[in-house]
Amino acid sequence: MARPLGVVLTGGIGSGKSTVAGIFSKFGACVIDTDEISHSLTGKGGAALSRIAEDFGTEYIHDGSLDRTRMRELVFSDQKSKQRLESILHPMIRAEVVKRIEKCAFPYYLLVVPLFFEAGHYFDLADRVLVVDCVEKKQIERVAARSGLNEKMIRAIMNNQVSRSYRLDHADDILENGGEMGELEKAAYRLHCKYLDLINRS
Ligand code: ATP
Protein backbone atom coordinates (compact mmCIF):
# COMPACT_ATOMS: atom_id res chain seq x y z
CA MET A 1 0.00 0.00 0.00
CA ALA A 2 1.24 3.52 -0.79
CA ARG A 3 2.25 5.71 2.14
CA PRO A 4 -0.73 7.62 3.52
CA LEU A 5 -0.98 11.33 2.76
CA GLY A 6 0.78 13.25 5.51
CA VAL A 7 -1.05 16.24 6.94
CA VAL A 8 0.74 18.20 9.65
CA LEU A 9 -1.53 20.15 11.98
CA THR A 10 0.00 23.15 13.67
CA GLY A 11 -1.06 26.47 15.20
CA GLY A 12 -0.21 28.86 17.99
CA ILE A 13 -0.73 28.14 21.67
CA GLY A 14 -4.42 27.68 22.46
CA SER A 15 -5.50 27.98 18.82
CA GLY A 16 -7.35 24.66 18.98
CA LYS A 17 -4.92 21.97 17.80
CA SER A 18 -6.10 19.30 20.28
CA THR A 19 -9.72 20.18 19.58
CA VAL A 20 -9.19 19.81 15.83
CA ALA A 21 -7.23 16.58 16.31
CA GLY A 22 -10.18 15.18 18.28
CA ILE A 23 -12.54 16.02 15.43
CA PHE A 24 -10.34 14.35 12.80
CA SER A 25 -9.97 11.24 14.91
CA LYS A 26 -13.78 10.90 14.85
CA PHE A 27 -13.55 10.88 11.03
CA GLY A 28 -11.21 7.89 11.37
CA ALA A 29 -7.94 9.64 10.49
CA CYS A 30 -4.74 8.36 12.11
CA VAL A 31 -4.06 11.15 14.56
CA ILE A 32 -0.50 11.24 15.86
CA ASP A 33 0.18 13.88 18.48
CA THR A 34 3.84 14.67 19.18
CA ASP A 35 2.94 16.38 22.48
CA GLU A 36 1.06 13.32 23.65
CA ILE A 37 4.02 11.10 22.72
CA SER A 38 6.37 13.43 24.56
CA HIS A 39 4.14 13.27 27.63
CA SER A 40 4.07 9.49 27.63
CA LEU A 41 7.88 9.32 27.24
CA THR A 42 8.27 11.54 30.29
CA GLY A 43 5.29 10.35 32.33
CA LYS A 44 5.25 7.45 34.83
CA GLY A 45 7.54 4.67 33.58
CA GLY A 46 8.34 6.66 30.42
CA ALA A 47 11.25 5.54 28.24
CA ALA A 48 13.01 8.93 28.38
CA LEU A 49 13.21 9.20 32.17
CA SER A 50 16.46 7.34 32.71
CA ARG A 51 18.28 9.49 30.11
CA ILE A 52 16.85 12.64 31.64
CA ALA A 53 17.92 11.56 35.14
CA GLU A 54 21.43 10.77 33.83
CA ASP A 55 21.81 14.11 32.07
CA PHE A 56 19.98 16.46 34.40
CA GLY A 57 20.01 14.69 37.76
CA THR A 58 17.40 12.69 39.64
CA GLU A 59 16.01 15.91 41.14
CA TYR A 60 14.18 16.40 37.83
CA ILE A 61 12.22 13.21 38.40
CA HIS A 62 9.39 13.42 40.87
CA ASP A 63 7.10 10.56 41.83
CA GLY A 64 8.26 8.46 38.87
CA SER A 65 7.64 11.18 36.25
CA LEU A 66 9.43 14.20 34.87
CA ASP A 67 9.02 17.18 37.18
CA ARG A 68 7.57 19.36 34.43
CA THR A 69 7.41 22.58 36.43
CA ARG A 70 11.07 22.32 37.45
CA MET A 71 12.19 21.40 33.93
CA ARG A 72 10.07 24.17 32.35
CA GLU A 73 11.72 26.71 34.63
CA LEU A 74 15.18 25.45 33.69
CA VAL A 75 14.70 25.33 29.93
CA PHE A 76 12.89 28.67 29.84
CA SER A 77 15.96 30.43 31.18
CA ASP A 78 18.73 28.23 29.79
CA GLN A 79 19.00 27.63 26.04
CA LYS A 80 21.68 24.92 26.41
CA SER A 81 19.48 22.84 28.72
CA LYS A 82 16.60 23.28 26.31
CA GLN A 83 18.73 21.90 23.48
CA ARG A 84 19.96 19.05 25.67
CA LEU A 85 16.42 18.03 26.56
CA GLU A 86 15.38 18.24 22.91
CA SER A 87 18.33 16.10 21.87
CA ILE A 88 17.06 13.37 24.20
CA LEU A 89 13.36 13.66 23.40
CA HIS A 90 13.24 14.53 19.72
CA PRO A 91 14.77 11.28 18.35
CA MET A 92 12.52 9.21 20.62
CA ILE A 93 9.40 11.12 19.61
CA ARG A 94 10.28 10.89 15.95
CA ALA A 95 10.90 7.13 16.15
CA GLU A 96 7.45 6.68 17.67
CA VAL A 97 5.86 8.93 15.01
CA VAL A 98 7.45 6.89 12.23
CA LYS A 99 6.29 3.65 13.87
CA ARG A 100 2.71 4.94 14.04
CA ILE A 101 2.78 6.14 10.42
CA GLU A 102 3.92 2.68 9.36
CA LYS A 103 0.93 1.21 11.19
CA CYS A 104 -1.57 3.76 9.81
CA ALA A 105 -4.19 1.97 7.70
CA PHE A 106 -6.19 5.13 6.85
CA PRO A 107 -5.58 7.09 3.60
CA TYR A 108 -4.09 10.01 5.52
CA TYR A 109 -2.55 10.80 8.89
CA LEU A 110 -2.84 13.98 10.90
CA LEU A 111 0.43 14.66 12.67
CA VAL A 112 0.08 17.31 15.39
CA VAL A 113 3.27 19.35 15.73
CA PRO A 114 2.78 22.53 17.77
CA LEU A 115 6.21 24.01 16.89
CA PHE A 116 6.33 22.71 13.32
CA PHE A 117 7.74 25.88 11.71
CA GLU A 118 9.95 26.77 14.67
CA ALA A 119 11.73 23.42 15.09
CA GLY A 120 11.69 22.21 11.48
CA HIS A 121 11.79 18.56 12.53
CA TYR A 122 8.90 17.17 10.51
CA PHE A 123 9.01 18.92 7.14
CA ASP A 124 9.77 15.59 5.41
CA LEU A 125 6.60 13.99 6.80
CA ALA A 126 4.30 16.85 5.74
CA ASP A 127 2.65 16.61 2.36
CA ARG A 128 0.30 19.35 3.48
CA VAL A 129 0.34 21.81 6.36
CA LEU A 130 -2.94 22.56 8.08
CA VAL A 131 -2.96 25.62 10.32
CA VAL A 132 -5.64 26.14 12.94
CA ASP A 133 -6.07 29.82 13.52
CA CYS A 134 -7.90 32.35 15.62
CA VAL A 135 -7.25 35.95 16.64
CA GLU A 136 -4.64 36.43 19.36
CA LYS A 137 -7.20 37.82 21.79
CA LYS A 138 -9.13 34.54 21.60
CA GLN A 139 -5.94 32.46 22.01
CA ILE A 140 -5.14 34.38 25.18
CA GLU A 141 -8.70 34.07 26.54
CA ARG A 142 -8.75 30.30 25.95
CA VAL A 143 -5.31 29.61 27.40
CA ALA A 144 -6.02 31.80 30.44
CA ALA A 145 -9.32 30.03 31.09
CA ARG A 146 -7.69 26.61 30.80
CA SER A 147 -4.36 27.12 32.55
CA GLY A 148 -4.60 30.12 34.83
CA LEU A 149 -1.54 31.70 33.13
CA ASN A 150 -1.85 35.47 32.94
CA GLU A 151 -1.79 37.49 29.72
CA LYS A 152 1.86 38.51 30.15
CA MET A 153 2.98 34.87 30.49
CA ILE A 154 0.88 33.79 27.52
CA ARG A 155 2.29 36.62 25.38
CA ALA A 156 5.83 35.57 26.35
CA ILE A 157 5.09 32.06 25.04
CA MET A 158 3.52 33.49 21.88
CA ASN A 159 6.61 35.64 21.30
CA ASN A 160 8.69 32.46 21.17
CA GLN A 161 6.51 31.11 18.37
CA VAL A 162 6.39 32.22 14.73
CA SER A 163 3.94 35.02 14.03
CA ARG A 164 0.36 34.38 13.08
CA SER A 165 0.96 35.87 9.63
CA TYR A 166 4.01 33.63 9.04
CA ARG A 167 1.92 30.57 9.85
CA LEU A 168 -0.94 31.65 7.63
CA ASP A 169 1.43 32.45 4.74
CA HIS A 170 2.94 28.95 4.93
CA ALA A 171 -0.29 26.96 5.29
CA ASP A 172 -1.77 24.76 2.59
CA ASP A 173 -5.07 24.69 4.46
CA ILE A 174 -6.47 26.86 7.23
CA LEU A 175 -9.14 26.06 9.79
CA GLU A 176 -10.59 29.21 11.24
CA ASN A 177 -11.40 28.56 14.91
CA GLY A 178 -12.79 31.87 16.10
CA GLY A 179 -16.38 30.72 16.36
CA GLU A 180 -18.58 27.90 17.56
CA MET A 181 -17.58 24.23 17.75
CA GLY A 182 -20.28 23.31 15.21
CA GLU A 183 -18.73 25.58 12.58
CA LEU A 184 -15.28 24.14 13.26
CA GLU A 185 -16.59 20.59 12.88
CA LYS A 186 -18.23 21.43 9.54
CA ALA A 187 -15.09 23.11 8.21
CA ALA A 188 -12.98 20.16 9.39
CA TYR A 189 -15.32 17.74 7.62
CA ARG A 190 -14.97 19.71 4.37
CA LEU A 191 -11.20 19.39 4.68
CA HIS A 192 -11.43 15.68 5.45
CA CYS A 193 -13.42 15.25 2.18
CA LYS A 194 -10.86 17.37 0.34
CA TYR A 195 -8.01 15.15 1.57
CA LEU A 196 -9.83 11.98 0.52
CA ASP A 197 -10.54 13.55 -2.86
CA LEU A 198 -6.89 14.54 -3.32
CA ILE A 199 -5.82 11.01 -2.46
CA ASN A 200 -8.35 9.45 -4.87
CA ARG A 201 -7.15 11.68 -7.68
CA SER A 202 -3.44 11.04 -7.11
P1 ATP B 1 -1.99 24.21 23.28
O1 ATP B 1 -1.22 24.97 22.29
O2 ATP B 1 -1.92 24.86 24.61
O3 ATP B 1 -1.67 22.75 23.33
P2 ATP B 1 -4.28 23.80 21.56
O4 ATP B 1 -3.88 24.59 20.35
O5 ATP B 1 -4.20 22.32 21.48
O6 ATP B 1 -3.56 24.34 22.85
P3 ATP B 1 -6.97 23.39 22.49
O7 ATP B 1 -6.50 22.73 23.74
O8 ATP B 1 -7.62 22.55 21.45
O9 ATP B 1 -5.77 24.25 21.86
O10 ATP B 1 -7.95 24.60 22.82
C1 ATP B 1 -7.64 25.55 23.83
C2 ATP B 1 -8.86 25.71 24.73
O11 ATP B 1 -9.88 26.36 23.98
C3 ATP B 1 -9.45 24.39 25.23
O12 ATP B 1 -9.91 24.56 26.53
C4 ATP B 1 -10.59 24.11 24.25
O13 ATP B 1 -11.61 23.36 24.83
C5 ATP B 1 -11.06 25.53 23.92
N1 ATP B 1 -11.58 25.66 22.54
C6 ATP B 1 -10.94 25.37 21.39
N2 ATP B 1 -11.72 25.62 20.32
C7 ATP B 1 -12.89 26.07 20.80
C8 ATP B 1 -14.11 26.52 20.19
N3 ATP B 1 -14.28 26.55 18.86
N4 ATP B 1 -15.11 26.91 21.00
C9 ATP B 1 -14.95 26.91 22.35
N5 ATP B 1 -13.83 26.51 22.99
C10 ATP B 1 -12.81 26.10 22.23
Side-chain angles (χ1 to χ4, degrees):
M1 199 177 91
R3 168 166 102 61
L5 179 81
V7 180
V8 161
L9 170 66
T10 191
I13 182 170
S15 55
K17 297 176 293 296
S18 304
T19 306
V20 168
I23 297 170
F24 276 89
S25 83
K26 281 195 239 156
F27 302 151
C30 297
V31 172
I32 306 167
D33 186 332
T34 54
D35 258 5
E36 179 235 299
I37 295 172
S38 174
H39 266 72
S40 65
L41 288 167
T42 53
K44 259 207 162 78
L49 293 176
S50 57
R51 279 286 312 281
I52 292 172
E54 253 170 55
D55 275 42
F56 291 89
T58 48
E59 64 272 28
Y60 285 89
I61 311 295
H62 177 71
D63 214 7
S65 305
L66 174 68
D67 185 338
R68 287 183 213 290
T69 311
R70 192 165 187 160
M71 185 58 86
R72 203 177 302 121
E73 277 163 15
L74 176 71
V75 300
F76 207 76
S77 58
D78 179 7
Q79 192 61 24
K80 278 220 167 84
S81 296
K82 187 173 177 212
Q83 283 166 359
R84 216 151 39 105
L85 182 66
E86 276 173 4
S87 74
I88 296 172
L89 287 179
H90 169 62
M92 297 177 98
I93 297 170
R94 191 181 165 97
E96 181 61 28
V97 165
V98 169
K99 205 159 91 185
R100 293 193 194 182
I101 290 175
E102 281 165 4
K103 280 196 200 145
C104 171
F106 201 73
Y108 70 90
Y109 59 81
L110 191 82
L111 176 60
V112 189
V113 188
L115 297 177
F116 174 70
F117 294 115
E118 294 82 348
H121 290 322
Y122 291 98
F123 289 169
D124 59 319
L125 298 178
D127 298 311
R128 299 188 73 79
V129 179
L130 166 59
V131 166
V132 56
D133 177 65
C134 64
V135 293
E136 290 184 352
K137 189 168 167 278
K138 195 131 234 166
Q139 269 178 277
I140 293 167
E141 268 170 31
R142 286 177 180 160
V143 176
R146 187 194 53 190
S147 65
L149 293 175
N150 65 36
E151 177 166 350
K152 198 170 160 216
M153 291 153 122
I154 300 167
R155 284 204 183 272
I157 296 170
M158 287 164 75
N159 287 339
N160 273 321
Q161 303 186 339
V162 295
S163 67
R164 185 177 173 214
S165 63
Y166 182 94
R167 238 182 251 113
L168 293 174
D169 282 349
H170 291 80
D172 295 298
D173 306 294
I174 296 166
L175 270 177
E176 207 281 307
N177 186 25
E180 300 296 315
M181 279 297 291
E183 288 169 41
L184 181 67
E185 281 164 2
K186 277 189 214 149
Y189 187 69
R190 284 195 292 275
L191 263 184
H192 164 73
C193 295
K194 174 177 165 176
Y195 294 148
L196 293 180
D197 193 43
L198 280 173
I199 293 157
N200 285 334
R201 284 194 281 128
S202 70

PDB file of all heavy atoms in Angstrom, residues 11-20 35 114 132 142-143 146 161 177-181 184, ligand 1:
ATOM      1  N   GLY A  11      -0.333  25.246  14.829  1.00  0.00           N
ATOM      2  CA  GLY A  11      -1.065  26.468  15.203  1.00  0.00           C
ATOM      3  C   GLY A  11      -0.465  27.001  16.488  1.00  0.00           C
ATOM      4  O   GLY A  11       0.242  26.280  17.195  1.00  0.00           O
ATOM      5  N   GLY A  12      -0.748  28.229  16.784  1.00  0.00           N
ATOM      6  CA  GLY A  12      -0.205  28.858  17.991  1.00  0.00           C
ATOM      7  C   GLY A  12      -0.802  28.263  19.251  1.00  0.00           C
ATOM      8  O   GLY A  12      -1.770  27.491  19.200  1.00  0.00           O
ATOM      9  N   ILE A  13      -0.232  28.635  20.380  1.00  0.00           N
ATOM     10  CA  ILE A  13      -0.734  28.140  21.666  1.00  0.00           C
ATOM     11  C   ILE A  13      -2.235  28.469  21.797  1.00  0.00           C
ATOM     12  O   ILE A  13      -2.664  29.587  21.487  1.00  0.00           O
ATOM     13  CB  ILE A  13       0.071  28.717  22.859  1.00  0.00           C
ATOM     14  CG1 ILE A  13      -0.448  28.133  24.171  1.00  0.00           C
ATOM     15  CG2 ILE A  13       0.088  30.244  22.881  1.00  0.00           C
ATOM     16  CD1 ILE A  13       0.420  28.446  25.379  1.00  0.00           C
ATOM     17  N   GLY A  14      -2.996  27.470  22.198  1.00  0.00           N
ATOM     18  CA  GLY A  14      -4.419  27.677  22.456  1.00  0.00           C
ATOM     19  C   GLY A  14      -5.277  27.919  21.222  1.00  0.00           C
ATOM     20  O   GLY A  14      -6.450  28.281  21.347  1.00  0.00           O
ATOM     21  N   SER A  15      -4.715  27.707  20.042  1.00  0.00           N
ATOM     22  CA  SER A  15      -5.498  27.981  18.824  1.00  0.00           C
ATOM     23  C   SER A  15      -6.572  26.924  18.586  1.00  0.00           C
ATOM     24  O   SER A  15      -7.554  27.171  17.891  1.00  0.00           O
ATOM     25  CB  SER A  15      -4.568  28.063  17.612  1.00  0.00           C
ATOM     26  OG  SER A  15      -3.791  26.883  17.531  1.00  0.00           O
ATOM     27  N   GLY A  16      -6.352  25.724  19.141  1.00  0.00           N
ATOM     28  CA  GLY A  16      -7.351  24.664  18.981  1.00  0.00           C
ATOM     29  C   GLY A  16      -6.821  23.383  18.351  1.00  0.00           C
ATOM     30  O   GLY A  16      -7.595  22.572  17.829  1.00  0.00           O
ATOM     31  N   LYS A  17      -5.508  23.157  18.440  1.00  0.00           N
ATOM     32  CA  LYS A  17      -4.925  21.966  17.803  1.00  0.00           C
ATOM     33  C   LYS A  17      -5.525  20.670  18.354  1.00  0.00           C
ATOM     34  O   LYS A  17      -5.920  19.791  17.599  1.00  0.00           O
ATOM     35  CB  LYS A  17      -3.392  21.950  17.999  1.00  0.00           C
ATOM     36  CG  LYS A  17      -2.689  23.117  17.347  1.00  0.00           C
ATOM     37  CD  LYS A  17      -1.210  23.117  17.630  1.00  0.00           C
ATOM     38  CE  LYS A  17      -0.851  23.376  19.076  1.00  0.00           C
ATOM     39  NZ  LYS A  17      -1.228  24.704  19.600  1.00  0.00           N
ATOM     40  N   SER A  18      -5.573  20.545  19.689  1.00  0.00           N
ATOM     41  CA  SER A  18      -6.098  19.303  20.282  1.00  0.00           C
ATOM     42  C   SER A  18      -7.570  19.122  19.933  1.00  0.00           C
ATOM     43  O   SER A  18      -8.020  17.998  19.667  1.00  0.00           O
ATOM     44  CB  SER A  18      -5.958  19.322  21.801  1.00  0.00           C
ATOM     45  OG  SER A  18      -4.630  19.530  22.131  1.00  0.00           O
ATOM     46  N   THR A  19      -8.297  20.233  19.912  1.00  0.00           N
ATOM     47  CA  THR A  19      -9.724  20.175  19.584  1.00  0.00           C
ATOM     48  C   THR A  19      -9.894  19.670  18.153  1.00  0.00           C
ATOM     49  O   THR A  19     -10.705  18.774  17.882  1.00  0.00           O
ATOM     50  CB  THR A  19     -10.345  21.590  19.739  1.00  0.00           C
ATOM     51  OG1 THR A  19     -10.042  22.060  21.047  1.00  0.00           O
ATOM     52  CG2 THR A  19     -11.834  21.587  19.518  1.00  0.00           C
ATOM     53  N   VAL A  20      -9.110  20.221  17.239  1.00  0.00           N
ATOM     54  CA  VAL A  20      -9.190  19.811  15.830  1.00  0.00           C
ATOM     55  C   VAL A  20      -8.749  18.350  15.683  1.00  0.00           C
ATOM     56  O   VAL A  20      -9.384  17.565  14.965  1.00  0.00           O
ATOM     57  CB  VAL A  20      -8.328  20.749  14.941  1.00  0.00           C
ATOM     58  CG1 VAL A  20      -8.161  20.190  13.542  1.00  0.00           C
ATOM     59  CG2 VAL A  20      -8.954  22.139  14.898  1.00  0.00           C
ATOM     60  N   ASP A  35       2.970  15.969  21.067  1.00  0.00           N
ATOM     61  CA  ASP A  35       2.940  16.380  22.481  1.00  0.00           C
ATOM     62  C   ASP A  35       2.526  15.216  23.369  1.00  0.00           C
ATOM     63  O   ASP A  35       3.065  15.021  24.455  1.00  0.00           O
ATOM     64  CB  ASP A  35       1.906  17.508  22.681  1.00  0.00           C
ATOM     65  CG  ASP A  35       2.585  18.859  22.787  1.00  0.00           C
ATOM     66  OD1 ASP A  35       3.815  18.911  22.607  1.00  0.00           O
ATOM     67  OD2 ASP A  35       1.865  19.851  23.043  1.00  0.00           O
ATOM     68  N   PRO A 114       2.994  21.135  17.390  1.00  0.00           N
ATOM     69  CA  PRO A 114       2.785  22.534  17.772  1.00  0.00           C
ATOM     70  C   PRO A 114       3.858  23.489  17.224  1.00  0.00           C
ATOM     71  O   PRO A 114       3.539  24.537  16.693  1.00  0.00           O
ATOM     72  CB  PRO A 114       2.782  22.487  19.308  1.00  0.00           C
ATOM     73  CG  PRO A 114       2.297  21.100  19.621  1.00  0.00           C
ATOM     74  CD  PRO A 114       2.877  20.217  18.539  1.00  0.00           C
ATOM     75  N   VAL A 132      -4.421  25.724  12.237  1.00  0.00           N
ATOM     76  CA  VAL A 132      -5.637  26.138  12.935  1.00  0.00           C
ATOM     77  C   VAL A 132      -5.371  27.528  13.497  1.00  0.00           C
ATOM     78  O   VAL A 132      -4.317  27.790  14.083  1.00  0.00           O
ATOM     79  CB  VAL A 132      -6.101  25.108  13.998  1.00  0.00           C
ATOM     80  CG1 VAL A 132      -5.044  24.808  15.005  1.00  0.00           C
ATOM     81  CG2 VAL A 132      -7.356  25.571  14.692  1.00  0.00           C
ATOM     82  N   ARG A 142      -8.592  31.758  25.784  1.00  0.00           N
ATOM     83  CA  ARG A 142      -8.752  30.304  25.953  1.00  0.00           C
ATOM     84  C   ARG A 142      -7.650  29.718  26.829  1.00  0.00           C
ATOM     85  O   ARG A 142      -7.912  28.872  27.686  1.00  0.00           O
ATOM     86  CB  ARG A 142      -8.768  29.605  24.584  1.00  0.00           C
ATOM     87  CG  ARG A 142     -10.062  29.834  23.841  1.00  0.00           C
ATOM     88  CD  ARG A 142     -10.033  29.200  22.468  1.00  0.00           C
ATOM     89  NE  ARG A 142     -11.295  29.418  21.760  1.00  0.00           N
ATOM     90  CZ  ARG A 142     -11.437  29.327  20.459  1.00  0.00           C
ATOM     91  NH1 ARG A 142     -10.404  29.029  19.699  1.00  0.00           N
ATOM     92  NH2 ARG A 142     -12.608  29.525  19.897  1.00  0.00           N
ATOM     93  N   VAL A 143      -6.421  30.161  26.597  1.00  0.00           N
ATOM     94  CA  VAL A 143      -5.310  29.611  27.400  1.00  0.00           C
ATOM     95  C   VAL A 143      -5.461  30.048  28.858  1.00  0.00           C
ATOM     96  O   VAL A 143      -5.282  29.250  29.781  1.00  0.00           O
ATOM     97  CB  VAL A 143      -3.935  30.026  26.823  1.00  0.00           C
ATOM     98  CG1 VAL A 143      -2.805  29.523  27.715  1.00  0.00           C
ATOM     99  CG2 VAL A 143      -3.761  29.493  25.416  1.00  0.00           C
ATOM    100  N   ARG A 146      -8.064  28.001  30.597  1.00  0.00           N
ATOM    101  CA  ARG A 146      -7.695  26.609  30.801  1.00  0.00           C
ATOM    102  C   ARG A 146      -6.562  26.442  31.810  1.00  0.00           C
ATOM    103  O   ARG A 146      -6.550  25.511  32.601  1.00  0.00           O
ATOM    104  CB  ARG A 146      -7.262  26.026  29.448  1.00  0.00           C
ATOM    105  CG  ARG A 146      -7.012  24.547  29.450  1.00  0.00           C
ATOM    106  CD  ARG A 146      -6.291  24.119  28.208  1.00  0.00           C
ATOM    107  NE  ARG A 146      -5.090  24.906  28.014  1.00  0.00           N
ATOM    108  CZ  ARG A 146      -4.358  24.895  26.930  1.00  0.00           C
ATOM    109  NH1 ARG A 146      -4.704  24.154  25.911  1.00  0.00           N
ATOM    110  NH2 ARG A 146      -3.275  25.623  26.834  1.00  0.00           N
ATOM    111  N   GLN A 161       7.044  31.885  19.492  1.00  0.00           N
ATOM    112  CA  GLN A 161       6.508  31.109  18.371  1.00  0.00           C
ATOM    113  C   GLN A 161       6.529  32.006  17.126  1.00  0.00           C
ATOM    114  O   GLN A 161       6.589  33.225  17.242  1.00  0.00           O
ATOM    115  CB  GLN A 161       5.066  30.664  18.673  1.00  0.00           C
ATOM    116  CG  GLN A 161       4.963  29.854  19.963  1.00  0.00           C
ATOM    117  CD  GLN A 161       3.564  29.273  20.218  1.00  0.00           C
ATOM    118  OE1 GLN A 161       2.572  29.737  19.685  1.00  0.00           O
ATOM    119  NE2 GLN A 161       3.516  28.248  21.050  1.00  0.00           N
ATOM    120  N   ASN A 177     -10.774  29.037  13.670  1.00  0.00           N
ATOM    121  CA  ASN A 177     -11.401  28.565  14.909  1.00  0.00           C
ATOM    122  C   ASN A 177     -11.742  29.733  15.839  1.00  0.00           C
ATOM    123  O   ASN A 177     -11.432  29.703  17.026  1.00  0.00           O
ATOM    124  CB  ASN A 177     -10.483  27.546  15.617  1.00  0.00           C
ATOM    125  CG  ASN A 177     -11.155  26.919  16.826  1.00  0.00           C
ATOM    126  OD1 ASN A 177     -12.382  26.853  16.895  1.00  0.00           O
ATOM    127  ND2 ASN A 177     -10.362  26.482  17.787  1.00  0.00           N
ATOM    128  N   GLY A 178     -12.403  30.730  15.261  1.00  0.00           N
ATOM    129  CA  GLY A 178     -12.787  31.874  16.097  1.00  0.00           C
ATOM    130  C   GLY A 178     -14.232  31.784  16.554  1.00  0.00           C
ATOM    131  O   GLY A 178     -14.694  32.597  17.333  1.00  0.00           O
ATOM    132  N   GLY A 179     -14.943  30.769  16.075  1.00  0.00           N
ATOM    133  CA  GLY A 179     -16.379  30.719  16.356  1.00  0.00           C
ATOM    134  C   GLY A 179     -16.804  29.503  17.155  1.00  0.00           C
ATOM    135  O   GLY A 179     -16.073  29.029  18.032  1.00  0.00           O
ATOM    136  N   GLU A 180     -17.988  29.013  16.815  1.00  0.00           N
ATOM    137  CA  GLU A 180     -18.585  27.896  17.559  1.00  0.00           C
ATOM    138  C   GLU A 180     -17.974  26.564  17.131  1.00  0.00           C
ATOM    139  O   GLU A 180     -17.504  26.416  16.005  1.00  0.00           O
ATOM    140  CB  GLU A 180     -20.091  27.833  17.266  1.00  0.00           C
ATOM    141  CG  GLU A 180     -20.866  29.076  17.645  1.00  0.00           C
ATOM    142  CD  GLU A 180     -20.827  29.320  19.142  1.00  0.00           C
ATOM    143  OE1 GLU A 180     -21.013  28.351  19.900  1.00  0.00           O
ATOM    144  OE2 GLU A 180     -20.577  30.464  19.545  1.00  0.00           O
ATOM    145  N   MET A 181     -18.087  25.576  18.040  1.00  0.00           N
ATOM    146  CA  MET A 181     -17.579  24.231  17.749  1.00  0.00           C
ATOM    147  C   MET A 181     -18.225  23.632  16.496  1.00  0.00           C
ATOM    148  O   MET A 181     -17.575  22.965  15.701  1.00  0.00           O
ATOM    149  CB  MET A 181     -17.848  23.299  18.939  1.00  0.00           C
ATOM    150  CG  MET A 181     -16.857  23.416  20.050  1.00  0.00           C
ATOM    151  SD  MET A 181     -15.204  22.937  19.525  1.00  0.00           S
ATOM    152  CE  MET A 181     -15.442  21.187  19.299  1.00  0.00           C
ATOM    153  N   LEU A 184     -16.615  24.759  13.400  1.00  0.00           N
ATOM    154  CA  LEU A 184     -15.284  24.143  13.263  1.00  0.00           C
ATOM    155  C   LEU A 184     -15.422  22.706  12.751  1.00  0.00           C
ATOM    156  O   LEU A 184     -14.687  22.277  11.858  1.00  0.00           O
ATOM    157  CB  LEU A 184     -14.578  24.161  14.628  1.00  0.00           C
ATOM    158  CG  LEU A 184     -13.174  23.577  14.668  1.00  0.00           C
ATOM    159  CD1 LEU A 184     -12.204  24.452  13.859  1.00  0.00           C
ATOM    160  CD2 LEU A 184     -12.662  23.459  16.112  1.00  0.00           C
TER     161      LEU A 184
HETATM  162  P1  ATP B   1      -1.993  24.210  23.284  1.00  0.00           P
HETATM  163  O1  ATP B   1      -1.219  24.973  22.288  1.00  0.00           O
HETATM  164  O2  ATP B   1      -1.923  24.860  24.606  1.00  0.00           O
HETATM  165  O3  ATP B   1      -1.674  22.755  23.327  1.00  0.00           O
HETATM  166  P2  ATP B   1      -4.278  23.801  21.556  1.00  0.00           P
HETATM  167  O4  ATP B   1      -3.878  24.585  20.351  1.00  0.00           O
HETATM  168  O5  ATP B   1      -4.198  22.319  21.480  1.00  0.00           O
HETATM  169  O6  ATP B   1      -3.565  24.336  22.850  1.00  0.00           O
HETATM  170  P3  ATP B   1      -6.967  23.391  22.492  1.00  0.00           P
HETATM  171  O7  ATP B   1      -6.498  22.733  23.744  1.00  0.00           O
HETATM  172  O8  ATP B   1      -7.617  22.553  21.455  1.00  0.00           O
HETATM  173  O9  ATP B   1      -5.775  24.245  21.857  1.00  0.00           O
HETATM  174  O10 ATP B   1      -7.955  24.596  22.822  1.00  0.00           O
HETATM  175  C1  ATP B   1      -7.636  25.548  23.826  1.00  0.00           C
HETATM  176  C2  ATP B   1      -8.859  25.711  24.733  1.00  0.00           C
HETATM  177  O11 ATP B   1      -9.883  26.356  23.980  1.00  0.00           O
HETATM  178  C3  ATP B   1      -9.450  24.386  25.227  1.00  0.00           C
HETATM  179  O12 ATP B   1      -9.908  24.564  26.529  1.00  0.00           O
HETATM  180  C4  ATP B   1     -10.594  24.109  24.247  1.00  0.00           C
HETATM  181  O13 ATP B   1     -11.613  23.358  24.829  1.00  0.00           O
HETATM  182  C5  ATP B   1     -11.060  25.531  23.918  1.00  0.00           C
HETATM  183  N1  ATP B   1     -11.582  25.657  22.537  1.00  0.00           N
HETATM  184  C6  ATP B   1     -10.943  25.366  21.391  1.00  0.00           C
HETATM  185  N2  ATP B   1     -11.718  25.619  20.317  1.00  0.00           N
HETATM  186  C7  ATP B   1     -12.893  26.074  20.803  1.00  0.00           C
HETATM  187  C8  ATP B   1     -14.115  26.518  20.192  1.00  0.00           C
HETATM  188  N3  ATP B   1     -14.275  26.554  18.858  1.00  0.00           N
HETATM  189  N4  ATP B   1     -15.109  26.909  21.004  1.00  0.00           N
HETATM  190  C9  ATP B   1     -14.946  26.908  22.345  1.00  0.00           C
HETATM  191  N5  ATP B   1     -13.833  26.508  22.990  1.00  0.00           N
HETATM  192  C10 ATP B   1     -12.808  26.103  22.233  1.00  0.00           C
END
